[in-house]
Amino acid sequence: MSGPPAATEPSAVLGREREHELLVAALDAGAHVVLEGPPGTGKSTLLRAVATRRDVPFVLVEGNAELTPARLVGHFDPAQVMAEGYSPDIFIDGPLVEALRVGGLLYVEEINRVPEETLNVLITVMSEGELNVPRLGVVKAGPGFRLVAAMNPFDAVGTARISAAVYDRTCRIAMDYQSAATEAGIVALRANVVAGVDGAWRGEVVELVRRTRSHADVRIGSSVRGAIDLIGIADRLAAARARSLTDWHVGLDAALVSLSGRVRLAEACTRSAEQVVREIYESVFGAEPSGETDGTEPAPGEA
């Protein structure tokens, strides 16, 4: 008797049990999928976990304006063409042909950054289940071939609107940020290189990062990666300054380094990212303690 279907297996990504179930069900049904959500919500981690459990090859493609059809499909080696002609043996598979041949999962990150002519190649493959490559012939999709694409719906810089033809050939799974408890669990796992982190302080770090997503001056806030980096940097700073990991100034500097580059400010905001991050930091950890220094040099009275 066979075991339970793959869709009932728990997700390897914290807080993504439902999305794991939906993704497996869609892939098992033969569908191609778009994972739509902001950065740091576990899209690629979820798909890698699914590929591992399904025991199918995983082919990653970074979506950007440089992803031409030739880079996606592959090409003949020019030097060997001069010597041997257009032989199938000298064709260098691109990620799409590789995934087609082995029946794997082709994961296209940031699909809304991919040029239209390259998208048209993907649309053809999704529709026909095969690809006609000039001088090579028809490459048919292996039984397990699926296209899974990811996109950040809030990032409009350097991106294009995905055509209805893509959406018509895919199923969409929306992935928003996880709950505070789940993000705290992710940080606990990922920041485990830092020993003895106080759970309450770690929760405040997660809260700090989550508040970047709702601040009036912030258009796009930080993902949970900001909290992971903040803890790691605070740990190193605390050691360098001989201060506690939870020292106010240590935390502030770690927050500025970890978050100021991750937040995207609203166009109407006249302040710097550092100023906004400090305001959010003070809303969580309180105002700067009076009579204290930032720890870079001894405070009055210290040896």
Side-chain angles (χ1 to χ4, degrees):
M1 180 177 179
S2 62
T8 64
E9 296 177 2
S11 172
V13 186
L14 288 178
R16 291 301 182 202
E17 291 78 14
R18 175 177 176 272
E19 288 82 358
H20 179 274
E21 182 181 45
L22 294 175
L23 178 57
V24 171
L27 295 175
D28 284 348
H32 305 288
V33 180
V34 169
L35 302 176
E36 191 170 310
T41 49
K43 296 186 292 295
S44 59
T45 305
L46 174 63
L47 184 56
R48 287 182 186 276
V50 169
T52 299
R53 294 190 178 200
R54 291 166 62 92
D55 193 26
V56 296
F58 179 90
V59 183
L60 173 65
V61 178
E62 182 179 347
N64 54 51
E66 308 302 317
L67 185 63
T68 62
R71 290 187 175 183
L72 179 67
V73 173
H75 64 277
F76 287 94
D77 183 281
Q80 290 186 291
V81 166
M82 293 293 293
E84 305 175 28
Y86 288 97
S87 168
D89 296 336
I90 63 174
F91 186 82
I92 301 173
D93 291 352
L96 174 56
V97 171
E98 178 187 350
L100 286 169
R101 292 189 195 275
V102 300
L105 296 179
L106 177 68
Y107 180 47
V108 182
E109 290 191 312
E110 305 297 343
I111 192 173
N112 48 333
R113 294 180 179 273
V114 174
E116 184 178 359
E117 60 179 347
T118 308
L119 284 179
N120 289 337
V121 175
L122 294 172
I123 290 171
T124 299
V125 171
M126 286 189 287
S127 298
E128 307 297 333
E130 62 183 32
L131 178 66
N132 189 2
V133 182
R135 298 189 177 91
L136 178 67
V138 176
V139 180
K140 293 186 177 294
F145 172 79
R146 304 286 188 275
L147 169 70
V148 180
M151 60 178 288
N152 172 13
F154 306 112
D155 186 5
V157 179
T159 65
R161 184 178 179 87
I162 293 298
S163 69
V166 173
Y167 278 123
D168 186 53
R169 289 162 175 80
T170 57
C171 294
R172 173 179 171 272
I173 299 177
M175 296 177 64
D176 203 350
Y177 291 109
Q178 292 111 313
S179 68
T182 298
E183 290 197 340
I186 294 171
V187 172
L189 290 174
R190 296 289 299 277
N192 59 5
V193 294
V194 180
V197 176
D198 179 73
W201 179 78
R202 184 175 60 226
E204 290 177 324
V205 170
V206 172
E207 175 61 20
L208 164 65
V209 169
R210 291 176 66 84
R211 288 192 187 187
T212 66
R213 305 168 195 161
S214 58
H215 192 279
D217 286 336
V218 179
R219 180 171 58 89
I220 301 175
S222 171
S223 72
V224 71
R225 297 188 187 108
I228 295 168
D229 284 349
L230 194 159
I231 291 176
I233 293 171
D235 178 59
R236 295 294 88 204
L237 278 178
R241 296 177 179 178
R243 294 294 180 108
S244 166
L245 177 63
T246 59
D247 178 85
W248 192 93
H249 290 96
V250 167
L252 174 62
D253 283 342
L256 293 173
V257 172
S258 304
L259 304 179
S260 61
R262 283 186 162 98
V263 299
R264 296 291 181 268
L265 300 181
E267 292 184 2
C269 180
T270 58
R271 298 188 294 167
S272 68
E274 287 78 10
Q275 289 173 319
V276 173
V277 169
R278 175 163 182 149
E279 177 191 310
I280 301 173
Y281 181 85
E282 291 181 347
S283 74
V284 175
F285 292 96
E288 180 177 10
S290 60
E292 292 189 7
T293 69
D294 62 3
T296 57
E297 58 184 34
E302 291 185 347

